[in-house]
Short mmCIF file of all heavy atoms in Angstrom, two decimals:
data_model
loop_
_atom_site.label_atom_id
_atom_site.label_comp_id
_atom_site.label_asym_id
_atom_site.label_seq_id
_atom_site.Cartn_x
_atom_site.Cartn_y
_atom_site.Cartn_z
N MET A 1205 0.87 -1.16 -0.01
CA MET A 1205 -0.01 -0.01 0.02
C MET A 1205 0.93 1.24 0.00
O MET A 1205 1.77 1.37 0.81
CB MET A 1205 -0.88 -0.02 1.24
CG MET A 1205 -1.82 1.09 1.33
SD MET A 1205 -3.01 0.57 2.59
CE MET A 1205 -3.56 2.14 3.13
N ALA A 1206 0.68 2.10 -0.90
CA ALA A 1206 1.52 3.28 -1.03
C ALA A 1206 1.00 4.33 -0.09
O ALA A 1206 -0.17 4.45 0.14
CB ALA A 1206 1.46 3.79 -2.48
N GLN A 1207 1.93 5.10 0.45
CA GLN A 1207 1.59 6.22 1.31
C GLN A 1207 1.97 7.50 0.65
O GLN A 1207 3.03 7.58 0.02
CB GLN A 1207 2.23 6.10 2.69
CG GLN A 1207 1.82 4.89 3.49
CD GLN A 1207 2.49 4.84 4.81
OE1 GLN A 1207 3.40 5.55 5.07
NE2 GLN A 1207 1.99 3.95 5.67
N HIS A 1208 1.11 8.44 0.77
CA HIS A 1208 1.39 9.77 0.17
C HIS A 1208 1.81 10.76 1.24
O HIS A 1208 1.15 10.88 2.25
CB HIS A 1208 0.14 10.26 -0.53
CG HIS A 1208 0.33 11.63 -1.14
ND1 HIS A 1208 1.06 11.82 -2.27
CD2 HIS A 1208 -0.15 12.80 -0.75
CE1 HIS A 1208 1.05 13.09 -2.57
NE2 HIS A 1208 0.33 13.75 -1.63
N VAL A 1209 2.96 11.34 1.09
CA VAL A 1209 3.45 12.37 1.99
C VAL A 1209 3.39 13.69 1.28
O VAL A 1209 3.96 13.84 0.21
CB VAL A 1209 4.89 12.03 2.42
CG1 VAL A 1209 5.43 13.17 3.35
CG2 VAL A 1209 4.95 10.69 3.14
N ALA A 1210 2.71 14.62 1.94
CA ALA A 1210 2.55 15.92 1.31
C ALA A 1210 3.90 16.69 1.42
O ALA A 1210 4.54 16.68 2.45
CB ALA A 1210 1.49 16.75 2.02
N PRO A 1211 4.34 17.32 0.34
CA PRO A 1211 5.55 18.08 0.38
C PRO A 1211 5.38 19.35 1.24
O PRO A 1211 4.25 19.85 1.36
CB PRO A 1211 5.82 18.42 -1.05
CG PRO A 1211 4.51 18.37 -1.71
CD PRO A 1211 3.70 17.33 -0.98
N PRO A 1212 6.39 19.81 1.90
CA PRO A 1212 6.27 21.03 2.69
C PRO A 1212 5.90 22.24 1.84
O PRO A 1212 6.41 22.35 0.75
CB PRO A 1212 7.66 21.20 3.34
CG PRO A 1212 8.58 20.40 2.50
CD PRO A 1212 7.78 19.30 1.88
N THR A 1213 5.05 23.00 2.34
CA THR A 1213 4.62 24.14 1.59
C THR A 1213 5.37 25.41 2.06
O THR A 1213 5.95 25.43 3.14
CB THR A 1213 3.11 24.42 1.83
OG1 THR A 1213 2.91 24.68 3.19
CG2 THR A 1213 2.27 23.22 1.40
N ALA A 1214 5.35 26.40 1.24
CA ALA A 1214 6.09 27.62 1.56
C ALA A 1214 5.35 28.43 2.62
O ALA A 1214 5.97 29.26 3.29
CB ALA A 1214 6.18 28.47 0.27
N ASN A 1215 4.10 28.11 2.90
CA ASN A 1215 3.35 28.89 3.89
C ASN A 1215 3.48 28.27 5.29
O ASN A 1215 2.96 28.85 6.21
CB ASN A 1215 1.89 28.92 3.49
CG ASN A 1215 1.66 29.71 2.24
OD1 ASN A 1215 2.48 30.59 1.90
ND2 ASN A 1215 0.61 29.41 1.54
N ALA A 1216 4.15 27.13 5.40
CA ALA A 1216 4.31 26.53 6.72
C ALA A 1216 5.20 27.41 7.61
O ALA A 1216 6.16 27.96 7.15
CB ALA A 1216 4.95 25.16 6.58
N PRO A 1217 4.81 27.58 8.90
CA PRO A 1217 5.63 28.44 9.79
C PRO A 1217 6.94 27.78 10.03
O PRO A 1217 7.09 26.59 10.27
CB PRO A 1217 4.78 28.52 11.07
CG PRO A 1217 3.91 27.30 11.04
CD PRO A 1217 3.59 27.04 9.57
N ALA A 1218 8.00 28.60 9.97
CA ALA A 1218 9.34 28.11 10.16
C ALA A 1218 9.62 28.02 11.67
O ALA A 1218 9.28 28.88 12.43
CB ALA A 1218 10.34 29.04 9.49
N LEU A 1219 10.25 26.97 12.11
CA LEU A 1219 10.68 26.81 13.46
C LEU A 1219 11.95 27.62 13.70
O LEU A 1219 12.75 27.84 12.78
CB LEU A 1219 10.95 25.32 13.81
CG LEU A 1219 9.72 24.41 13.69
CD1 LEU A 1219 10.17 22.97 13.89
CD2 LEU A 1219 8.70 24.77 14.76
N PRO A 1220 12.12 28.10 14.93
CA PRO A 1220 13.38 28.84 15.19
C PRO A 1220 14.60 27.88 15.06
O PRO A 1220 14.49 26.70 15.31
CB PRO A 1220 13.21 29.32 16.66
CG PRO A 1220 12.12 28.48 17.20
CD PRO A 1220 11.25 28.03 16.08
N ALA A 1221 15.66 28.45 14.57
CA ALA A 1221 16.86 27.66 14.34
C ALA A 1221 17.33 26.94 15.57
O ALA A 1221 17.60 25.81 15.59
CB ALA A 1221 17.95 28.52 13.75
N LYS A 1222 17.44 27.71 16.67
CA LYS A 1222 17.81 27.09 17.95
C LYS A 1222 17.33 27.96 19.07
O LYS A 1222 17.10 29.17 18.91
CB LYS A 1222 19.33 26.91 18.04
CG LYS A 1222 20.12 28.18 17.88
CD LYS A 1222 21.61 27.91 17.92
CE LYS A 1222 22.40 29.20 17.68
NZ LYS A 1222 23.80 28.95 17.74
N LEU A 1223 17.19 27.38 20.19
CA LEU A 1223 16.74 28.11 21.37
C LEU A 1223 17.91 28.87 21.99
O LEU A 1223 18.95 28.34 22.21
CB LEU A 1223 16.19 27.07 22.42
CG LEU A 1223 15.21 27.58 23.43
CD1 LEU A 1223 14.00 28.22 22.82
CD2 LEU A 1223 14.73 26.42 24.33
N PRO A 1224 17.74 30.14 22.26
CA PRO A 1224 18.83 30.94 22.78
C PRO A 1224 19.17 30.49 24.21
O PRO A 1224 18.26 30.27 25.03
CB PRO A 1224 18.32 32.40 22.80
CG PRO A 1224 16.85 32.28 22.69
CD PRO A 1224 16.57 30.94 21.99
N ILE A 1225 20.42 30.34 24.50
CA ILE A 1225 20.89 29.84 25.84
C ILE A 1225 20.51 30.81 26.93
O ILE A 1225 20.23 30.42 28.04
CB ILE A 1225 22.38 29.53 25.82
CG1 ILE A 1225 22.80 28.71 27.04
CG2 ILE A 1225 23.21 30.82 25.75
CD1 ILE A 1225 22.31 27.30 27.02
N GLY A 1226 20.44 32.10 26.58
CA GLY A 1226 20.08 33.10 27.57
C GLY A 1226 18.68 32.93 28.10
O GLY A 1226 18.32 33.37 29.19
N ALA A 1227 17.80 32.31 27.29
CA ALA A 1227 16.44 32.07 27.74
C ALA A 1227 16.31 30.82 28.60
O ALA A 1227 15.34 30.67 29.35
CB ALA A 1227 15.51 31.91 26.52
N ILE A 1228 17.26 29.95 28.52
CA ILE A 1228 17.17 28.66 29.30
C ILE A 1228 17.85 28.80 30.64
O ILE A 1228 17.37 28.22 31.62
CB ILE A 1228 17.86 27.54 28.49
CG1 ILE A 1228 17.11 27.32 27.16
CG2 ILE A 1228 17.90 26.28 29.30
CD1 ILE A 1228 17.74 26.31 26.23
N VAL A 1229 18.95 29.56 30.73
CA VAL A 1229 19.76 29.62 31.96
C VAL A 1229 18.95 30.02 33.18
O VAL A 1229 19.05 29.37 34.23
CB VAL A 1229 21.00 30.45 31.77
CG1 VAL A 1229 21.66 30.78 33.08
CG2 VAL A 1229 21.95 29.82 30.81
N PRO A 1230 18.15 31.11 33.14
CA PRO A 1230 17.43 31.47 34.34
C PRO A 1230 16.46 30.40 34.83
O PRO A 1230 16.35 30.16 36.03
CB PRO A 1230 16.66 32.75 33.96
CG PRO A 1230 17.36 33.26 32.78
CD PRO A 1230 17.95 32.08 32.06
N TRP A 1231 15.82 29.71 33.91
CA TRP A 1231 14.90 28.63 34.28
C TRP A 1231 15.65 27.41 34.82
O TRP A 1231 15.19 26.76 35.76
CB TRP A 1231 14.04 28.23 33.08
CG TRP A 1231 13.03 29.28 32.75
CD1 TRP A 1231 13.08 30.16 31.79
CD2 TRP A 1231 11.81 29.51 33.45
NE1 TRP A 1231 11.96 30.97 31.79
CE2 TRP A 1231 11.20 30.58 32.84
CE3 TRP A 1231 11.21 28.95 34.59
CZ2 TRP A 1231 9.99 31.14 33.25
CZ3 TRP A 1231 9.99 29.50 35.04
CH2 TRP A 1231 9.39 30.59 34.40
N ALA A 1232 16.83 27.13 34.23
CA ALA A 1232 17.64 26.02 34.73
C ALA A 1232 18.08 26.31 36.15
O ALA A 1232 18.12 25.40 36.99
CB ALA A 1232 18.80 25.80 33.81
N VAL A 1233 18.52 27.54 36.44
CA VAL A 1233 18.99 27.92 37.77
C VAL A 1233 17.80 27.80 38.73
O VAL A 1233 17.92 27.26 39.84
CB VAL A 1233 19.60 29.26 37.76
CG1 VAL A 1233 19.82 29.81 39.18
CG2 VAL A 1233 20.90 29.30 36.99
N PHE A 1234 16.62 28.33 38.35
CA PHE A 1234 15.47 28.30 39.20
C PHE A 1234 15.07 26.86 39.57
O PHE A 1234 14.88 26.53 40.74
CB PHE A 1234 14.32 29.01 38.49
CG PHE A 1234 13.02 28.90 39.24
CD1 PHE A 1234 12.76 29.52 40.41
CD2 PHE A 1234 12.00 28.04 38.72
CE1 PHE A 1234 11.54 29.40 41.06
CE2 PHE A 1234 10.79 27.90 39.34
CZ PHE A 1234 10.57 28.58 40.55
N PHE A 1235 15.00 26.02 38.57
CA PHE A 1235 14.59 24.59 38.86
C PHE A 1235 15.67 23.87 39.57
O PHE A 1235 15.36 22.93 40.35
CB PHE A 1235 14.12 23.93 37.56
CG PHE A 1235 12.75 24.31 37.14
CD1 PHE A 1235 12.55 25.14 36.10
CD2 PHE A 1235 11.66 23.82 37.86
CE1 PHE A 1235 11.26 25.51 35.71
CE2 PHE A 1235 10.40 24.19 37.49
CZ PHE A 1235 10.20 25.03 36.41
N GLY A 1236 16.92 24.23 39.36
CA GLY A 1236 18.02 23.60 40.09
C GLY A 1236 17.92 23.94 41.57
O GLY A 1236 18.05 23.01 42.42
N ILE A 1237 17.67 25.17 41.89
CA ILE A 1237 17.50 25.56 43.30
C ILE A 1237 16.27 24.90 43.91
O ILE A 1237 16.31 24.40 45.02
CB ILE A 1237 17.46 27.11 43.41
CG1 ILE A 1237 18.80 27.72 43.06
CG2 ILE A 1237 16.98 27.49 44.79
CD1 ILE A 1237 18.78 29.22 42.95
N LEU A 1238 15.22 24.86 43.11
CA LEU A 1238 13.97 24.20 43.58
C LEU A 1238 14.24 22.76 43.91
O LEU A 1238 13.79 22.21 44.92
CB LEU A 1238 12.89 24.39 42.54
CG LEU A 1238 11.45 24.16 42.99
CD1 LEU A 1238 11.04 25.18 44.02
CD2 LEU A 1238 10.53 24.18 41.80
N MET A 1239 14.93 22.08 43.07
CA MET A 1239 15.28 20.68 43.28
C MET A 1239 16.17 20.46 44.51
O MET A 1239 16.02 19.49 45.22
CB MET A 1239 15.89 20.04 42.03
CG MET A 1239 14.95 19.93 40.86
SD MET A 1239 13.53 18.85 41.22
CE MET A 1239 12.20 20.10 41.27
N LEU A 1240 17.12 21.41 44.68
CA LEU A 1240 17.97 21.27 45.90
C LEU A 1240 17.17 21.49 47.19
O LEU A 1240 17.41 20.80 48.19
CB LEU A 1240 19.09 22.34 45.83
CG LEU A 1240 20.19 22.02 44.83
CD1 LEU A 1240 21.20 23.19 44.78
CD2 LEU A 1240 20.91 20.73 45.21
N VAL A 1241 16.22 22.40 47.17
CA VAL A 1241 15.38 22.61 48.32
C VAL A 1241 14.51 21.35 48.57
O VAL A 1241 14.40 20.88 49.71
CB VAL A 1241 14.47 23.82 48.16
CG1 VAL A 1241 13.39 23.89 49.22
CG2 VAL A 1241 15.31 25.14 48.18
N LEU A 1242 13.96 20.79 47.50
CA LEU A 1242 13.20 19.54 47.62
C LEU A 1242 14.07 18.42 48.14
O LEU A 1242 13.63 17.64 49.03
CB LEU A 1242 12.58 19.19 46.30
CG LEU A 1242 11.68 17.93 46.29
CD1 LEU A 1242 10.47 18.18 47.17
CD2 LEU A 1242 11.23 17.62 44.86
N LEU A 1243 15.26 18.32 47.65
CA LEU A 1243 16.19 17.27 48.10
C LEU A 1243 16.55 17.47 49.58
O LEU A 1243 16.67 16.48 50.33
CB LEU A 1243 17.43 17.27 47.23
CG LEU A 1243 18.43 16.15 47.44
CD1 LEU A 1243 17.79 14.80 47.10
CD2 LEU A 1243 19.70 16.35 46.67
N TYR A 1244 16.65 18.74 49.99
CA TYR A 1244 16.93 18.95 51.40
C TYR A 1244 15.78 18.47 52.28
O TYR A 1244 15.97 17.75 53.23
CB TYR A 1244 17.20 20.44 51.67
CG TYR A 1244 17.09 20.72 53.18
CD1 TYR A 1244 18.15 20.39 53.98
CD2 TYR A 1244 15.94 21.23 53.75
CE1 TYR A 1244 18.08 20.57 55.35
CE2 TYR A 1244 15.85 21.43 55.12
CZ TYR A 1244 16.93 21.11 55.90
OH TYR A 1244 16.87 21.25 57.25
N PHE A 1245 14.53 18.83 51.88
CA PHE A 1245 13.40 18.44 52.70
C PHE A 1245 13.21 16.94 52.73
O PHE A 1245 12.77 16.35 53.68
CB PHE A 1245 12.14 19.13 52.23
CG PHE A 1245 12.00 20.56 52.81
CD1 PHE A 1245 12.26 21.67 52.03
CD2 PHE A 1245 11.70 20.73 54.14
CE1 PHE A 1245 12.17 22.93 52.56
CE2 PHE A 1245 11.64 21.98 54.70
CZ PHE A 1245 11.82 23.09 53.89
N VAL A 1246 13.49 16.27 51.60
CA VAL A 1246 13.35 14.81 51.58
C VAL A 1246 14.47 14.17 52.34
O VAL A 1246 14.25 13.22 53.08
CB VAL A 1246 13.32 14.30 50.10
CG1 VAL A 1246 13.45 12.81 50.08
CG2 VAL A 1246 12.07 14.76 49.41
N GLY A 1247 15.69 14.67 52.18
CA GLY A 1247 16.88 13.90 52.70
C GLY A 1247 17.38 14.33 54.05
O GLY A 1247 18.02 13.50 54.70
N ALA A 1248 17.19 15.56 54.44
CA ALA A 1248 17.88 16.07 55.64
C ALA A 1248 16.95 16.77 56.63
O ALA A 1248 17.49 17.23 57.68
CB ALA A 1248 18.98 16.98 55.24
N GLU A 1249 15.72 16.91 56.33
CA GLU A 1249 14.79 17.65 57.22
C GLU A 1249 14.38 16.73 58.38
O GLU A 1249 13.37 16.13 58.38
CB GLU A 1249 13.58 18.09 56.44
CG GLU A 1249 12.50 18.73 57.27
CD GLU A 1249 12.86 20.03 57.94
OE1 GLU A 1249 13.85 20.66 57.53
OE2 GLU A 1249 12.18 20.41 58.90
N GLN A 1250 15.32 16.61 59.36
CA GLN A 1250 15.03 15.75 60.51
C GLN A 1250 16.06 16.04 61.58
O GLN A 1250 17.25 16.30 61.30
CB GLN A 1250 15.08 14.30 60.14
CG GLN A 1250 14.73 13.34 61.24
CD GLN A 1250 14.87 11.91 60.82
OE1 GLN A 1250 15.55 11.60 59.87
NE2 GLN A 1250 14.21 11.01 61.53
N GLY A 1251 15.63 16.08 62.81
CA GLY A 1251 16.58 16.16 63.93
C GLY A 1251 17.30 17.46 63.99
O GLY A 1251 16.70 18.54 63.96
N ALA A 1252 18.66 17.44 64.11
CA ALA A 1252 19.46 18.61 64.32
C ALA A 1252 19.38 19.57 63.10
O ALA A 1252 19.57 20.78 63.26
CB ALA A 1252 20.91 18.23 64.58
N THR A 1253 19.16 19.09 61.90
CA THR A 1253 19.12 19.92 60.71
C THR A 1253 17.73 20.39 60.36
O THR A 1253 17.49 20.99 59.33
CB THR A 1253 19.71 19.18 59.49
OG1 THR A 1253 18.91 18.06 59.22
CG2 THR A 1253 21.16 18.77 59.76
N SER A 1254 16.76 20.18 61.28
CA SER A 1254 15.41 20.48 60.98
C SER A 1254 15.19 21.97 60.92
O SER A 1254 15.60 22.71 61.80
CB SER A 1254 14.50 19.86 62.06
OG SER A 1254 13.14 20.15 61.78
N VAL A 1255 14.53 22.43 59.90
CA VAL A 1255 14.12 23.84 59.72
C VAL A 1255 12.75 24.05 60.31
O VAL A 1255 12.47 25.04 60.98
CB VAL A 1255 14.20 24.28 58.22
CG1 VAL A 1255 13.62 25.64 58.07
CG2 VAL A 1255 15.62 24.17 57.73
N VAL A 1256 11.83 23.12 60.00
CA VAL A 1256 10.46 23.21 60.47
C VAL A 1256 10.31 22.33 61.71
O VAL A 1256 10.67 21.15 61.69
CB VAL A 1256 9.47 22.71 59.37
CG1 VAL A 1256 8.09 22.86 59.84
CG2 VAL A 1256 9.71 23.55 58.10
N ALA A 1257 9.84 22.91 62.79
CA ALA A 1257 9.66 22.16 64.05
C ALA A 1257 8.61 21.06 63.88
O ALA A 1257 7.63 21.22 63.12
CB ALA A 1257 9.27 23.08 65.16
N GLY A 1258 8.84 19.99 64.55
CA GLY A 1258 7.85 18.88 64.52
C GLY A 1258 8.26 17.80 63.46
O GLY A 1258 9.29 17.92 62.83
N GLU A 1259 7.40 16.86 63.37
CA GLU A 1259 7.64 15.71 62.45
C GLU A 1259 6.78 15.73 61.22
O GLU A 1259 6.78 14.78 60.45
CB GLU A 1259 7.37 14.40 63.22
CG GLU A 1259 8.31 14.14 64.37
CD GLU A 1259 9.70 13.76 63.84
OE1 GLU A 1259 9.76 13.00 62.84
OE2 GLU A 1259 10.72 14.20 64.43
N ASP A 1260 6.08 16.83 61.01
CA ASP A 1260 5.10 16.85 59.91
C ASP A 1260 5.82 16.72 58.50
O ASP A 1260 5.41 15.90 57.66
CB ASP A 1260 4.26 18.16 59.92
CG ASP A 1260 3.34 18.21 61.09
OD1 ASP A 1260 3.03 17.07 61.58
OD2 ASP A 1260 2.99 19.31 61.52
N VAL A 1261 6.86 17.52 58.28
CA VAL A 1261 7.54 17.45 57.00
C VAL A 1261 8.17 16.09 56.81
O VAL A 1261 8.08 15.47 55.74
CB VAL A 1261 8.62 18.56 56.90
CG1 VAL A 1261 9.47 18.41 55.66
CG2 VAL A 1261 7.97 19.92 56.97
N HIS A 1262 8.77 15.57 57.88
CA HIS A 1262 9.39 14.21 57.77
C HIS A 1262 8.33 13.17 57.40
O HIS A 1262 8.62 12.29 56.55
CB HIS A 1262 10.02 13.88 59.10
CG HIS A 1262 10.62 12.51 59.13
ND1 HIS A 1262 11.86 12.22 58.56
CD2 HIS A 1262 10.12 11.33 59.59
CE1 HIS A 1262 12.11 10.96 58.75
NE2 HIS A 1262 11.07 10.36 59.36
N GLU A 1263 7.20 13.24 57.99
CA GLU A 1263 6.19 12.21 57.70
C GLU A 1263 5.64 12.38 56.29
O GLU A 1263 5.35 11.36 55.67
CB GLU A 1263 5.01 12.36 58.71
CG GLU A 1263 5.42 12.00 60.14
CD GLU A 1263 5.91 10.58 60.26
OE1 GLU A 1263 5.44 9.68 59.52
OE2 GLU A 1263 6.83 10.35 61.02
N TRP A 1264 5.57 13.60 55.77
CA TRP A 1264 5.06 13.79 54.45
C TRP A 1264 6.00 13.27 53.36
O TRP A 1264 5.58 12.82 52.30
CB TRP A 1264 4.77 15.28 54.15
CG TRP A 1264 3.46 15.70 54.64
CD1 TRP A 1264 3.18 16.36 55.82
CD2 TRP A 1264 2.19 15.50 54.02
NE1 TRP A 1264 1.80 16.56 55.95
CE2 TRP A 1264 1.19 16.05 54.86
CE3 TRP A 1264 1.80 14.92 52.82
CZ2 TRP A 1264 -0.20 16.00 54.53
CZ3 TRP A 1264 0.43 14.88 52.46
CH2 TRP A 1264 -0.52 15.45 53.32
N VAL A 1265 7.29 13.33 53.65
CA VAL A 1265 8.29 12.90 52.62
C VAL A 1265 8.93 11.56 52.98
O VAL A 1265 9.94 11.18 52.43
CB VAL A 1265 9.37 13.96 52.43
CG1 VAL A 1265 8.80 15.26 51.90
CG2 VAL A 1265 10.19 14.22 53.69
N HIS A 1266 8.32 10.83 53.96
CA HIS A 1266 8.97 9.65 54.47
C HIS A 1266 9.18 8.60 53.43
O HIS A 1266 10.26 7.98 53.39
CB HIS A 1266 8.09 9.16 55.63
CG HIS A 1266 8.75 8.05 56.43
ND1 HIS A 1266 8.23 6.86 56.58
CD2 HIS A 1266 9.93 8.08 57.06
CE1 HIS A 1266 9.05 6.10 57.33
NE2 HIS A 1266 10.10 6.80 57.66
N ASP A 1267 8.21 8.35 52.62
CA ASP A 1267 8.37 7.29 51.58
C ASP A 1267 9.39 7.70 50.54
O ASP A 1267 10.17 6.84 50.10
CB ASP A 1267 7.03 7.01 50.91
CG ASP A 1267 6.03 6.34 51.85
OD1 ASP A 1267 6.48 5.80 52.85
OD2 ASP A 1267 4.81 6.37 51.53
N ALA A 1268 9.47 8.96 50.16
CA ALA A 1268 10.47 9.39 49.21
C ALA A 1268 11.85 9.23 49.83
O ALA A 1268 12.80 8.89 49.15
CB ALA A 1268 10.20 10.86 48.85
N ARG A 1269 11.95 9.49 51.13
CA ARG A 1269 13.25 9.33 51.79
C ARG A 1269 13.73 7.89 51.71
O ARG A 1269 14.94 7.64 51.36
CB ARG A 1269 13.08 9.71 53.26
CG ARG A 1269 14.30 9.51 54.09
CD ARG A 1269 14.02 9.92 55.55
NE ARG A 1269 13.85 11.37 55.58
CZ ARG A 1269 14.56 12.14 56.31
NH1 ARG A 1269 15.53 11.69 57.09
NH2 ARG A 1269 14.36 13.44 56.35
N HIS A 1270 12.87 6.93 51.97
CA HIS A 1270 13.25 5.53 51.85
C HIS A 1270 13.52 5.12 50.42
O HIS A 1270 14.42 4.34 50.11
CB HIS A 1270 12.18 4.62 52.48
CG HIS A 1270 12.18 4.59 53.95
ND1 HIS A 1270 12.98 3.76 54.62
CD2 HIS A 1270 11.54 5.35 54.85
CE1 HIS A 1270 12.83 3.96 55.94
NE2 HIS A 1270 11.94 4.95 56.08
N LEU A 1271 12.71 5.68 49.47
CA LEU A 1271 12.86 5.35 48.08
C LEU A 1271 14.24 5.79 47.58
O LEU A 1271 14.92 5.04 46.80
CB LEU A 1271 11.81 6.02 47.26
CG LEU A 1271 11.85 5.81 45.76
CD1 LEU A 1271 11.54 4.34 45.43
CD2 LEU A 1271 10.89 6.71 45.06
N LEU A 1272 14.74 6.93 48.03
CA LEU A 1272 16.03 7.46 47.56
C LEU A 1272 17.23 6.95 48.40
O LEU A 1272 18.33 7.29 48.11
CB LEU A 1272 15.98 8.98 47.63
CG LEU A 1272 14.98 9.61 46.65
CD1 LEU A 1272 14.93 11.11 46.87
CD2 LEU A 1272 15.33 9.26 45.23
N GLY A 1273 16.92 6.18 49.45
CA GLY A 1273 18.00 5.56 50.24
C GLY A 1273 18.60 6.40 51.31
O GLY A 1273 19.71 6.12 51.79
N PHE A 1274 17.93 7.49 51.71
CA PHE A 1274 18.47 8.27 52.84
C PHE A 1274 18.24 7.56 54.14
O PHE A 1274 17.20 6.85 54.30
CB PHE A 1274 17.76 9.64 52.85
CG PHE A 1274 18.18 10.60 51.78
CD1 PHE A 1274 17.41 10.77 50.65
CD2 PHE A 1274 19.37 11.26 51.86
CE1 PHE A 1274 17.79 11.63 49.65
CE2 PHE A 1274 19.78 12.10 50.87
CZ PHE A 1274 18.99 12.31 49.77
N PRO A 1275 19.16 7.64 55.07
CA PRO A 1275 18.94 7.01 56.36
C PRO A 1275 17.77 7.66 57.09
O PRO A 1275 17.57 8.88 57.04
CB PRO A 1275 20.25 7.25 57.09
CG PRO A 1275 20.85 8.43 56.44
CD PRO A 1275 20.39 8.42 55.03
N CYS A 1276 17.03 6.85 57.79
CA CYS A 1276 15.84 7.35 58.45
C CYS A 1276 15.72 6.76 59.83
O CYS A 1276 16.02 7.42 60.80
CB CYS A 1276 14.59 7.02 57.59
SG CYS A 1276 13.07 7.70 58.25
N HIS A 1277 15.30 5.56 59.97
CA HIS A 1277 15.10 4.93 61.29
C HIS A 1277 15.48 3.48 61.19
O HIS A 1277 15.74 2.96 60.17
CB HIS A 1277 13.64 5.08 61.74
CG HIS A 1277 12.66 4.61 60.73
ND1 HIS A 1277 12.27 3.30 60.60
CD2 HIS A 1277 11.97 5.28 59.80
CE1 HIS A 1277 11.38 3.18 59.64
NE2 HIS A 1277 11.21 4.39 59.10
ZN1 LIG B 1604 11.70 5.84 57.73
#
């Protein structure tokens, strides 16, 4: 069975040649910091390094802590 592929037309919108690095860097830094904060709360938010008093944060991220292999109990 033959397939017909339409040739590109001149009216098709052109894609940008490449994404400018200056547009990516701020978002990469932002998400990098966000991931470090998340990693802190999952891996180290307990005991002497605790920022939030109580066990609430620890209990919320408890399964992720075990999944990632951080020491817990
Ligand atoms: Zn545990």
